[in-house]
Amino acid sequence: DAGVIQSPRHEVTEMGQEVTLRCKPISGHNSLFWYRQTMMRGLELLIYFNNNVPIDDSGMPEDRFSAKMPNASFSTLKIQPSEPRDSAVYFCASNVAGSSYNEQFFGPGTRLTVL
Amino acid sequence: AQSVAQPEDQVNVAEGNPLTVKCTYSVSGNPYLFWYVQYPNRGLQVLLKYITGDNLVKGSYGFEAEFNKSQTSFHLKKPSALVSDSALYFCAVRGISGSARQLTFGSGTQLTVLP
């Protein structure tokens, strides 16, 4: 099992540019989560999907952020336009919705730096 | 709303000494509790989990945690710390119904084991 796959692992961009982060969940998992981790705010849930449908996006900071899940094996988190305060590590996680354990499996993260 | 508190941002302990990382929680109904560990430049991974049954849960790398319902606590412990245990530790809780079924993470505790 390859685990949750995220790309790129590192992204450096300039303010105002569009950034797209990608995630491939574990095969068979039907829930997908996007988190952001910063020193100041810790680990924040941005949005999660069940069966490719966004369920709760209340954690998305503002309209510059958008997430899609066009199929069960792929999701994107897009920031347009990016700002320096978006610099963080972005994690994707997946699990089987409704399972008793609800344990989430995390990807290695994408470290985003916006200059 | 459910919540998790990790009162210590940083815990330092000498190698070979016992360690404790504290966690208290608030959730409606019976909780499912998790400890996640994050090594530098890595994603989070589950260390141990309490679903039901024995209040003392044993996990990976010699860690254990005790579920205390009356004190709503789930402290992480290890009898003898190793330098390689140095990492960021997150406590997480989920409820059993509705929106509470999603994980809520604590703010994290940085554990440093000194040689």
Side-chain angles (χ1 to χ4, degrees):
Chain A
D1 188 348
V4 176
I5 299 173
Q6 291 187 248
S7 65
R9 293 294 308 275
H10 302 272
E11 177 80 29
V12 180
T13 190
E14 293 187 345
M15 183 174 64
Q17 296 299 305
E18 177 180 297
V19 175
T20 300
L21 311 181
R22 297 173 177 80
C23 176
K24 176 178 170 57
I26 292 173
S27 178
H29 285 188
N30 60 352
S31 282
L32 183 140
F33 307 81
W34 281 102
Y35 290 89
R36 177 172 68 176
Q37 185 179 36
T38 62
M39 288 292 292
M40 292 296 295
R41 301 172 70 92
L43 194 62
E44 304 172 276
L45 177 64
L46 301 178
I47 184 172
Y48 76 92
F49 297 82
N50 276 356
N51 297 316
N52 312 338
V53 176
I55 302 301
D56 183 357
D57 65 354
S58 59
M60 295 286 262
E62 48 196 276
D63 292 345
R64 297 184 297 106
F65 285 69
S66 63
K68 294 182 179 179
M69 192 164 186
N71 58 61
S73 59
F74 183 65
S75 177
T76 59
L77 177 67
K78 185 176 294 186
I79 308 172
Q80 166 63 19
S82 58
E83 297 182 3
R85 60 195 170 112
D86 301 330
S87 297
V89 181
Y90 291 81
F91 289 104
C92 177
S94 70
N95 70 359
V96 179
S99 67
S100 296
Y101 295 164
N102 209 37
E103 173 182 339
Q104 293 180 18
F105 295 81
F106 281 74
T110 295
R111 182 174 295 277
L112 173 65
T113 302
V114 183
L115 303 174
Chain B
Q2 59 200 39
S3 64
V4 177
Q6 292 181 243
E8 302 154 317
D9 292 335
Q10 175 86 35
V11 170
N12 296 326
V13 63
E15 187 174 30
N17 283 2
L19 69 87
T20 298
V21 183
K22 296 179 181 177
C23 170
T24 58
Y25 66 89
S26 172
V27 68
S28 298
N30 294 322
Y32 293 167
L33 294 156
F34 303 81
W35 275 102
Y36 280 80
V37 60
Q38 184 181 22
Y39 297 104
N41 301 313
R42 303 285 295 276
L44 281 70
Q45 58 188 91
V46 167
L47 197 58
L48 52 79
K49 56 195 172 190
Y50 170 81
I51 306 299
T52 186
D54 195 350
N55 289 347
L56 183 64
V57 180
K58 293 187 182 297
S60 305
Y61 312 119
F63 282 91
E64 58 187 32
E66 185 167 10
F67 169 58
N68 188 317
K69 189 172 183 177
S70 63
Q71 297 186 3
T72 62
S73 67
F74 191 58
H75 301 329
L76 181 69
K77 299 183 178 184
K78 186 172 182 180
S80 179
L82 299 173
V83 172
S84 57
D85 293 330
S86 299
L88 186 58
Y89 290 82
F90 291 93
C91 183
V93 67
R94 63 154 286 206
I96 60 173
S97 62
S99 60
R101 294 173 68 184
Q102 298 310 321
L103 284 179
T104 298
F105 285 87
S107 56
T109 299
Q110 179 66 50
L111 172 67
T112 301
V113 181
L114 305 169

PDB file of all heavy atoms in Angstrom, chain B residues 17-48:
ATOM      1  N   ASN B  17      14.468   8.156  31.393  1.00  0.00           N
ATOM      2  CA  ASN B  17      13.444   8.538  32.366  1.00  0.00           C
ATOM      3  C   ASN B  17      12.053   8.300  31.799  1.00  0.00           C
ATOM      4  O   ASN B  17      11.862   8.284  30.582  1.00  0.00           O
ATOM      5  CB  ASN B  17      13.606  10.009  32.749  1.00  0.00           C
ATOM      6  CG  ASN B  17      14.751  10.225  33.718  1.00  0.00           C
ATOM      7  OD1 ASN B  17      15.452   9.279  34.085  1.00  0.00           O
ATOM      8  ND2 ASN B  17      14.969  11.468  34.115  1.00  0.00           N
ATOM      9  N   PRO B  18      11.063   8.162  32.686  1.00  0.00           N
ATOM     10  CA  PRO B  18       9.685   8.028  32.189  1.00  0.00           C
ATOM     11  C   PRO B  18       9.188   9.360  31.640  1.00  0.00           C
ATOM     12  O   PRO B  18       9.653  10.422  32.061  1.00  0.00           O
ATOM     13  CB  PRO B  18       8.897   7.616  33.437  1.00  0.00           C
ATOM     14  CG  PRO B  18       9.722   8.098  34.577  1.00  0.00           C
ATOM     15  CD  PRO B  18      11.147   8.030  34.145  1.00  0.00           C
ATOM     16  N   LEU B  19       8.275   9.269  30.681  1.00  0.00           N
ATOM     17  CA  LEU B  19       7.710  10.486  30.108  1.00  0.00           C
ATOM     18  C   LEU B  19       6.190  10.428  30.147  1.00  0.00           C
ATOM     19  O   LEU B  19       5.588   9.353  30.094  1.00  0.00           O
ATOM     20  CB  LEU B  19       8.191  10.712  28.668  1.00  0.00           C
ATOM     21  CG  LEU B  19       7.714   9.757  27.565  1.00  0.00           C
ATOM     22  CD1 LEU B  19       6.369  10.209  26.975  1.00  0.00           C
ATOM     23  CD2 LEU B  19       8.752   9.659  26.465  1.00  0.00           C
ATOM     24  N   THR B  20       5.596  11.605  30.265  1.00  0.00           N
ATOM     25  CA  THR B  20       4.145  11.753  30.201  1.00  0.00           C
ATOM     26  C   THR B  20       3.817  12.969  29.353  1.00  0.00           C
ATOM     27  O   THR B  20       4.396  14.041  29.563  1.00  0.00           O
ATOM     28  CB  THR B  20       3.529  11.939  31.599  1.00  0.00           C
ATOM     29  OG1 THR B  20       3.799  10.787  32.390  1.00  0.00           O
ATOM     30  CG2 THR B  20       2.019  12.137  31.496  1.00  0.00           C
ATOM     31  N   VAL B  21       2.915  12.810  28.415  1.00  0.00           N
ATOM     32  CA  VAL B  21       2.379  13.918  27.627  1.00  0.00           C
ATOM     33  C   VAL B  21       0.879  13.966  27.905  1.00  0.00           C
ATOM     34  O   VAL B  21       0.178  12.993  27.687  1.00  0.00           O
ATOM     35  CB  VAL B  21       2.648  13.739  26.119  1.00  0.00           C
ATOM     36  CG1 VAL B  21       2.134  14.949  25.348  1.00  0.00           C
ATOM     37  CG2 VAL B  21       4.132  13.531  25.854  1.00  0.00           C
ATOM     38  N   LYS B  22       0.414  15.116  28.374  1.00  0.00           N
ATOM     39  CA  LYS B  22      -0.943  15.203  28.889  1.00  0.00           C
ATOM     40  C   LYS B  22      -1.967  15.579  27.818  1.00  0.00           C
ATOM     41  O   LYS B  22      -1.672  16.325  26.885  1.00  0.00           O
ATOM     42  CB  LYS B  22      -0.998  16.228  30.029  1.00  0.00           C
ATOM     43  CG  LYS B  22      -0.165  15.840  31.236  1.00  0.00           C
ATOM     44  CD  LYS B  22      -0.232  16.900  32.314  1.00  0.00           C
ATOM     45  CE  LYS B  22       0.627  16.502  33.500  1.00  0.00           C
ATOM     46  NZ  LYS B  22       0.634  17.562  34.551  1.00  0.00           N
ATOM     47  N   CYS B  23      -3.180  15.048  28.027  1.00  0.00           N
ATOM     48  CA  CYS B  23      -4.284  15.352  27.125  1.00  0.00           C
ATOM     49  C   CYS B  23      -5.594  15.231  27.889  1.00  0.00           C
ATOM     50  O   CYS B  23      -5.811  14.238  28.588  1.00  0.00           O
ATOM     51  CB  CYS B  23      -4.292  14.375  25.945  1.00  0.00           C
ATOM     52  SG  CYS B  23      -5.768  14.442  24.893  1.00  0.00           S
ATOM     53  N   THR B  24      -6.439  16.236  27.777  1.00  0.00           N
ATOM     54  CA  THR B  24      -7.805  16.147  28.271  1.00  0.00           C
ATOM     55  C   THR B  24      -8.749  16.481  27.132  1.00  0.00           C
ATOM     56  O   THR B  24      -8.374  17.168  26.184  1.00  0.00           O
ATOM     57  CB  THR B  24      -8.054  17.087  29.461  1.00  0.00           C
ATOM     58  OG1 THR B  24      -7.768  18.434  29.046  1.00  0.00           O
ATOM     59  CG2 THR B  24      -7.197  16.724  30.644  1.00  0.00           C
ATOM     60  N   TYR B  25      -9.968  15.998  27.227  1.00  0.00           N
ATOM     61  CA  TYR B  25     -10.886  16.132  26.099  1.00  0.00           C
ATOM     62  C   TYR B  25     -12.287  16.464  26.590  1.00  0.00           C
ATOM     63  O   TYR B  25     -12.613  16.299  27.771  1.00  0.00           O
ATOM     64  CB  TYR B  25     -10.921  14.828  25.293  1.00  0.00           C
ATOM     65  CG  TYR B  25     -11.504  13.687  26.080  1.00  0.00           C
ATOM     66  CD1 TYR B  25     -12.875  13.425  26.067  1.00  0.00           C
ATOM     67  CD2 TYR B  25     -10.695  12.882  26.883  1.00  0.00           C
ATOM     68  CE1 TYR B  25     -13.416  12.406  26.819  1.00  0.00           C
ATOM     69  CE2 TYR B  25     -11.230  11.864  27.638  1.00  0.00           C
ATOM     70  CZ  TYR B  25     -12.581  11.624  27.609  1.00  0.00           C
ATOM     71  OH  TYR B  25     -13.123  10.624  28.369  1.00  0.00           O
ATOM     72  N   SER B  26     -13.084  16.905  25.635  1.00  0.00           N
ATOM     73  CA  SER B  26     -14.499  17.143  25.896  1.00  0.00           C
ATOM     74  C   SER B  26     -15.279  16.687  24.678  1.00  0.00           C
ATOM     75  O   SER B  26     -14.992  17.122  23.553  1.00  0.00           O
ATOM     76  CB  SER B  26     -14.750  18.633  26.163  1.00  0.00           C
ATOM     77  OG  SER B  26     -16.131  18.901  26.247  1.00  0.00           O
ATOM     78  N   VAL B  27     -16.234  15.793  24.890  1.00  0.00           N
ATOM     79  CA  VAL B  27     -17.034  15.281  23.780  1.00  0.00           C
ATOM     80  C   VAL B  27     -18.341  14.745  24.334  1.00  0.00           C
ATOM     81  O   VAL B  27     -18.394  14.283  25.476  1.00  0.00           O
ATOM     82  CB  VAL B  27     -16.256  14.182  23.020  1.00  0.00           C
ATOM     83  CG1 VAL B  27     -16.092  12.940  23.876  1.00  0.00           C
ATOM     84  CG2 VAL B  27     -16.939  13.834  21.698  1.00  0.00           C
ATOM     85  N   SER B  28     -19.393  14.800  23.552  1.00  0.00           N
ATOM     86  CA  SER B  28     -20.670  14.221  23.951  1.00  0.00           C
ATOM     87  C   SER B  28     -20.636  12.719  23.734  1.00  0.00           C
ATOM     88  O   SER B  28     -20.217  12.252  22.674  1.00  0.00           O
ATOM     89  CB  SER B  28     -21.809  14.837  23.139  1.00  0.00           C
ATOM     90  OG  SER B  28     -21.907  16.219  23.379  1.00  0.00           O
ATOM     91  N   GLY B  29     -21.064  11.986  24.720  1.00  0.00           N
ATOM     92  CA  GLY B  29     -21.102  10.539  24.590  1.00  0.00           C
ATOM     93  C   GLY B  29     -19.731   9.911  24.762  1.00  0.00           C
ATOM     94  O   GLY B  29     -18.779  10.534  25.238  1.00  0.00           O
ATOM     95  N   ASN B  30     -19.653   8.662  24.372  1.00  0.00           N
ATOM     96  CA  ASN B  30     -18.391   7.944  24.515  1.00  0.00           C
ATOM     97  C   ASN B  30     -17.382   8.405  23.471  1.00  0.00           C
ATOM     98  O   ASN B  30     -17.716   8.535  22.306  1.00  0.00           O
ATOM     99  CB  ASN B  30     -18.629   6.439  24.380  1.00  0.00           C
ATOM    100  CG  ASN B  30     -19.475   5.898  25.517  1.00  0.00           C
ATOM    101  OD1 ASN B  30     -19.331   6.336  26.659  1.00  0.00           O
ATOM    102  ND2 ASN B  30     -20.365   4.974  25.221  1.00  0.00           N
ATOM    103  N   PRO B  31     -16.149   8.624  23.903  1.00  0.00           N
ATOM    104  CA  PRO B  31     -15.146   9.124  22.952  1.00  0.00           C
ATOM    105  C   PRO B  31     -14.349   8.014  22.300  1.00  0.00           C
ATOM    106  O   PRO B  31     -14.179   6.936  22.862  1.00  0.00           O
ATOM    107  CB  PRO B  31     -14.239   9.957  23.850  1.00  0.00           C
ATOM    108  CG  PRO B  31     -14.234   9.182  25.141  1.00  0.00           C
ATOM    109  CD  PRO B  31     -15.631   8.588  25.280  1.00  0.00           C
ATOM    110  N   TYR B  32     -13.875   8.314  21.111  1.00  0.00           N
ATOM    111  CA  TYR B  32     -12.787   7.551  20.515  1.00  0.00           C
ATOM    112  C   TYR B  32     -11.565   8.468  20.609  1.00  0.00           C
ATOM    113  O   TYR B  32     -11.640   9.635  20.219  1.00  0.00           O
ATOM    114  CB  TYR B  32     -13.067   7.220  19.055  1.00  0.00           C
ATOM    115  CG  TYR B  32     -14.216   6.277  18.818  1.00  0.00           C
ATOM    116  CD1 TYR B  32     -14.744   6.104  17.542  1.00  0.00           C
ATOM    117  CD2 TYR B  32     -14.794   5.543  19.851  1.00  0.00           C
ATOM    118  CE1 TYR B  32     -15.793   5.240  17.296  1.00  0.00           C
ATOM    119  CE2 TYR B  32     -15.854   4.680  19.621  1.00  0.00           C
ATOM    120  CZ  TYR B  32     -16.354   4.534  18.333  1.00  0.00           C
ATOM    121  OH  TYR B  32     -17.407   3.684  18.093  1.00  0.00           O
ATOM    122  N   LEU B  33     -10.469   7.951  21.109  1.00  0.00           N
ATOM    123  CA  LEU B  33      -9.303   8.785  21.374  1.00  0.00           C
ATOM    124  C   LEU B  33      -8.080   8.255  20.653  1.00  0.00           C
ATOM    125  O   LEU B  33      -7.892   7.030  20.543  1.00  0.00           O
ATOM    126  CB  LEU B  33      -9.038   8.818  22.887  1.00  0.00           C
ATOM    127  CG  LEU B  33     -10.135   9.516  23.698  1.00  0.00           C
ATOM    128  CD1 LEU B  33     -10.125   9.026  25.140  1.00  0.00           C
ATOM    129  CD2 LEU B  33      -9.943  11.029  23.648  1.00  0.00           C
ATOM    130  N   PHE B  34      -7.252   9.163  20.210  1.00  0.00           N
ATOM    131  CA  PHE B  34      -6.078   8.811  19.417  1.00  0.00           C
ATOM    132  C   PHE B  34      -4.884   9.634  19.872  1.00  0.00           C
ATOM    133  O   PHE B  34      -5.023  10.777  20.290  1.00  0.00           O
ATOM    134  CB  PHE B  34      -6.309   9.111  17.926  1.00  0.00           C
ATOM    135  CG  PHE B  34      -7.507   8.425  17.324  1.00  0.00           C
ATOM    136  CD1 PHE B  34      -8.778   8.948  17.497  1.00  0.00           C
ATOM    137  CD2 PHE B  34      -7.354   7.268  16.582  1.00  0.00           C
ATOM    138  CE1 PHE B  34      -9.891   8.322  16.941  1.00  0.00           C
ATOM    139  CE2 PHE B  34      -8.460   6.636  16.020  1.00  0.00           C
ATOM    140  CZ  PHE B  34      -9.725   7.175  16.208  1.00  0.00           C
ATOM    141  N   TRP B  35      -3.716   9.032  19.748  1.00  0.00           N
ATOM    142  CA  TRP B  35      -2.464   9.771  19.799  1.00  0.00           C
ATOM    143  C   TRP B  35      -1.774   9.605  18.448  1.00  0.00           C
ATOM    144  O   TRP B  35      -1.601   8.480  17.967  1.00  0.00           O
ATOM    145  CB  TRP B  35      -1.543   9.278  20.908  1.00  0.00           C
ATOM    146  CG  TRP B  35      -1.827   9.903  22.240  1.00  0.00           C
ATOM    147  CD1 TRP B  35      -2.481   9.364  23.287  1.00  0.00           C
ATOM    148  CD2 TRP B  35      -1.434  11.220  22.657  1.00  0.00           C
ATOM    149  NE1 TRP B  35      -2.541  10.253  24.334  1.00  0.00           N
ATOM    150  CE2 TRP B  35      -1.898  11.397  23.979  1.00  0.00           C
ATOM    151  CE3 TRP B  35      -0.729  12.265  22.050  1.00  0.00           C
ATOM    152  CZ2 TRP B  35      -1.692  12.577  24.709  1.00  0.00           C
ATOM    153  CZ3 TRP B  35      -0.517  13.423  22.766  1.00  0.00           C
ATOM    154  CH2 TRP B  35      -0.996  13.584  24.073  1.00  0.00           C
ATOM    155  N   TYR B  36      -1.405  10.748  17.871  1.00  0.00           N
ATOM    156  CA  TYR B  36      -0.639  10.774  16.637  1.00  0.00           C
ATOM    157  C   TYR B  36       0.757  11.313  16.939  1.00  0.00           C
ATOM    158  O   TYR B  36       0.932  12.169  17.811  1.00  0.00           O
ATOM    159  CB  TYR B  36      -1.283  11.705  15.605  1.00  0.00           C
ATOM    160  CG  TYR B  36      -2.457  11.133  14.857  1.00  0.00           C
ATOM    161  CD1 TYR B  36      -3.724  11.107  15.430  1.00  0.00           C
ATOM    162  CD2 TYR B  36      -2.315  10.652  13.566  1.00  0.00           C
ATOM    163  CE1 TYR B  36      -4.813  10.602  14.731  1.00  0.00           C
ATOM    164  CE2 TYR B  36      -3.399  10.142  12.857  1.00  0.00           C
ATOM    165  CZ  TYR B  36      -4.629  10.126  13.450  1.00  0.00           C
ATOM    166  OH  TYR B  36      -5.714   9.627  12.748  1.00  0.00           O
ATOM    167  N   VAL B  37       1.744  10.837  16.177  1.00  0.00           N
ATOM    168  CA  VAL B  37       3.104  11.350  16.297  1.00  0.00           C
ATOM    169  C   VAL B  37       3.545  11.900  14.941  1.00  0.00           C
ATOM    170  O   VAL B  37       3.179  11.356  13.890  1.00  0.00           O
ATOM    171  CB  VAL B  37       4.082  10.254  16.789  1.00  0.00           C
ATOM    172  CG1 VAL B  37       4.127   9.064  15.836  1.00  0.00           C
ATOM    173  CG2 VAL B  37       5.481  10.818  16.991  1.00  0.00           C
ATOM    174  N   GLN B  38       4.265  12.998  14.990  1.00  0.00           N
ATOM    175  CA  GLN B  38       4.794  13.607  13.762  1.00  0.00           C
ATOM    176  C   GLN B  38       6.293  13.799  13.922  1.00  0.00           C
ATOM    177  O   GLN B  38       6.733  14.597  14.748  1.00  0.00           O
ATOM    178  CB  GLN B  38       4.118  14.946  13.476  1.00  0.00           C
ATOM    179  CG  GLN B  38       4.569  15.578  12.168  1.00  0.00           C
ATOM    180  CD  GLN B  38       3.916  16.917  11.904  1.00  0.00           C
ATOM    181  OE1 GLN B  38       3.450  17.589  12.825  1.00  0.00           O
ATOM    182  NE2 GLN B  38       3.881  17.327  10.649  1.00  0.00           N
ATOM    183  N   TYR B  39       7.057  13.060  13.136  1.00  0.00           N
ATOM    184  CA  TYR B  39       8.494  13.239  13.114  1.00  0.00           C
ATOM    185  C   TYR B  39       8.841  14.375  12.161  1.00  0.00           C
ATOM    186  O   TYR B  39       8.053  14.694  11.269  1.00  0.00           O
ATOM    187  CB  TYR B  39       9.186  11.937  12.717  1.00  0.00           C
ATOM    188  CG  TYR B  39       8.944  10.823  13.705  1.00  0.00           C
ATOM    189  CD1 TYR B  39       8.042   9.798  13.426  1.00  0.00           C
ATOM    190  CD2 TYR B  39       9.581  10.810  14.941  1.00  0.00           C
ATOM    191  CE1 TYR B  39       7.792   8.793  14.330  1.00  0.00           C
ATOM    192  CE2 TYR B  39       9.339   9.810  15.868  1.00  0.00           C
ATOM    193  CZ  TYR B  39       8.441   8.802  15.562  1.00  0.00           C
ATOM    194  OH  TYR B  39       8.185   7.816  16.470  1.00  0.00           O
ATOM    195  N   PRO B  40       9.992  14.982  12.301  1.00  0.00           N
ATOM    196  CA  PRO B  40      10.355  16.132  11.471  1.00  0.00           C
ATOM    197  C   PRO B  40      10.189  15.845   9.981  1.00  0.00           C
ATOM    198  O   PRO B  40      10.610  14.798   9.488  1.00  0.00           O
ATOM    199  CB  PRO B  40      11.815  16.383  11.842  1.00  0.00           C
ATOM    200  CG  PRO B  40      11.927  15.872  13.240  1.00  0.00           C
ATOM    201  CD  PRO B  40      11.027  14.675  13.308  1.00  0.00           C
ATOM    202  N   ASN B  41       9.547  16.763   9.299  1.00  0.00           N
ATOM    203  CA  ASN B  41       9.338  16.692   7.849  1.00  0.00           C
ATOM    204  C   ASN B  41       8.535  15.465   7.423  1.00  0.00           C
ATOM    205  O   ASN B  41       8.708  14.982   6.298  1.00  0.00           O
ATOM    206  CB  ASN B  41      10.681  16.724   7.117  1.00  0.00           C
ATOM    207  CG  ASN B  41      11.464  17.986   7.421  1.00  0.00           C
ATOM    208  OD1 ASN B  41      10.923  19.082   7.383  1.00  0.00           O
ATOM    209  ND2 ASN B  41      12.726  17.826   7.780  1.00  0.00           N
ATOM    210  N   ARG B  42       7.696  14.990   8.286  1.00  0.00           N
ATOM    211  CA  ARG B  42       6.863  13.833   7.977  1.00  0.00           C
ATOM    212  C   ARG B  42       5.407  14.147   8.281  1.00  0.00           C
ATOM    213  O   ARG B  42       5.074  15.089   9.001  1.00  0.00           O
ATOM    214  CB  ARG B  42       7.294  12.620   8.802  1.00  0.00           C
ATOM    215  CG  ARG B  42       8.755  12.224   8.632  1.00  0.00           C
ATOM    216  CD  ARG B  42       8.994  11.541   7.304  1.00  0.00           C
ATOM    217  NE  ARG B  42       8.308  10.271   7.206  1.00  0.00           N
ATOM    218  CZ  ARG B  42       8.782   9.127   7.677  1.00  0.00           C
ATOM    219  NH1 ARG B  42       9.952   9.092   8.281  1.00  0.00           N
ATOM    220  NH2 ARG B  42       8.099   8.008   7.529  1.00  0.00           N
ATOM    221  N   GLY B  43       4.512  13.306   7.750  1.00  0.00           N
ATOM    222  CA  GLY B  43       3.101  13.422   8.096  1.00  0.00           C
ATOM    223  C   GLY B  43       2.814  12.794   9.449  1.00  0.00           C
ATOM    224  O   GLY B  43       3.679  12.187  10.069  1.00  0.00           O
ATOM    225  N   LEU B  44       1.580  12.952   9.901  1.00  0.00           N
ATOM    226  CA  LEU B  44       1.177  12.368  11.184  1.00  0.00           C
ATOM    227  C   LEU B  44       0.907  10.872  11.012  1.00  0.00           C
ATOM    228  O   LEU B  44       0.403  10.428   9.984  1.00  0.00           O
ATOM    229  CB  LEU B  44      -0.098  13.031  11.695  1.00  0.00           C
ATOM    230  CG  LEU B  44       0.025  14.396  12.358  1.00  0.00           C
ATOM    231  CD1 LEU B  44       0.381  15.476  11.359  1.00  0.00           C
ATOM    232  CD2 LEU B  44      -1.284  14.748  13.074  1.00  0.00           C
ATOM    233  N   GLN B  45       1.218  10.111  12.041  1.00  0.00           N
ATOM    234  CA  GLN B  45       0.888   8.692  12.018  1.00  0.00           C
ATOM    235  C   GLN B  45       0.337   8.289  13.374  1.00  0.00           C
ATOM    236  O   GLN B  45       0.749   8.833  14.401  1.00  0.00           O
ATOM    237  CB  GLN B  45       2.111   7.838  11.644  1.00  0.00           C
ATOM    238  CG  GLN B  45       3.296   8.012  12.554  1.00  0.00           C
ATOM    239  CD  GLN B  45       4.529   7.298  12.034  1.00  0.00           C
ATOM    240  OE1 GLN B  45       5.325   7.859  11.303  1.00  0.00           O
ATOM    241  NE2 GLN B  45       4.676   6.048  12.421  1.00  0.00           N
ATOM    242  N   VAL B  46      -0.606   7.356  13.346  1.00  0.00           N
ATOM    243  CA  VAL B  46      -1.245   6.938  14.591  1.00  0.00           C
ATOM    244  C   VAL B  46      -0.261   6.155  15.450  1.00  0.00           C
ATOM    245  O   VAL B  46       0.419   5.252  14.982  1.00  0.00           O
ATOM    246  CB  VAL B  46      -2.495   6.085  14.296  1.00  0.00           C
ATOM    247  CG1 VAL B  46      -2.972   5.394  15.553  1.00  0.00           C
ATOM    248  CG2 VAL B  46      -3.602   6.946  13.749  1.00  0.00           C
ATOM    249  N   LEU B  47      -0.226   6.517  16.732  1.00  0.00           N
ATOM    250  CA  LEU B  47       0.626   5.833  17.694  1.00  0.00           C
ATOM    251  C   LEU B  47      -0.184   4.789  18.468  1.00  0.00           C
ATOM    252  O   LEU B  47       0.261   3.675  18.700  1.00  0.00           O
ATOM    253  CB  LEU B  47       1.201   6.869  18.645  1.00  0.00           C
ATOM    254  CG  LEU B  47       2.406   6.536  19.489  1.00  0.00           C
ATOM    255  CD1 LEU B  47       3.578   6.126  18.633  1.00  0.00           C
ATOM    256  CD2 LEU B  47       2.778   7.750  20.345  1.00  0.00           C
ATOM    257  N   LEU B  48      -1.384   5.202  18.870  1.00  0.00           N
ATOM    258  CA  LEU B  48      -2.294   4.290  19.546  1.00  0.00           C
ATOM    259  C   LEU B  48      -3.692   4.902  19.549  1.00  0.00           C
ATOM    260  O   LEU B  48      -3.865   6.077  19.243  1.00  0.00           O
ATOM    261  CB  LEU B  48      -1.832   3.987  20.971  1.00  0.00           C
ATOM    262  CG  LEU B  48      -1.512   5.133  21.913  1.00  0.00           C
ATOM    263  CD1 LEU B  48      -2.747   5.761  22.505  1.00  0.00           C
ATOM    264  CD2 LEU B  48      -0.599   4.671  23.045  1.00  0.00           C
TER     265      LEU B  48
END
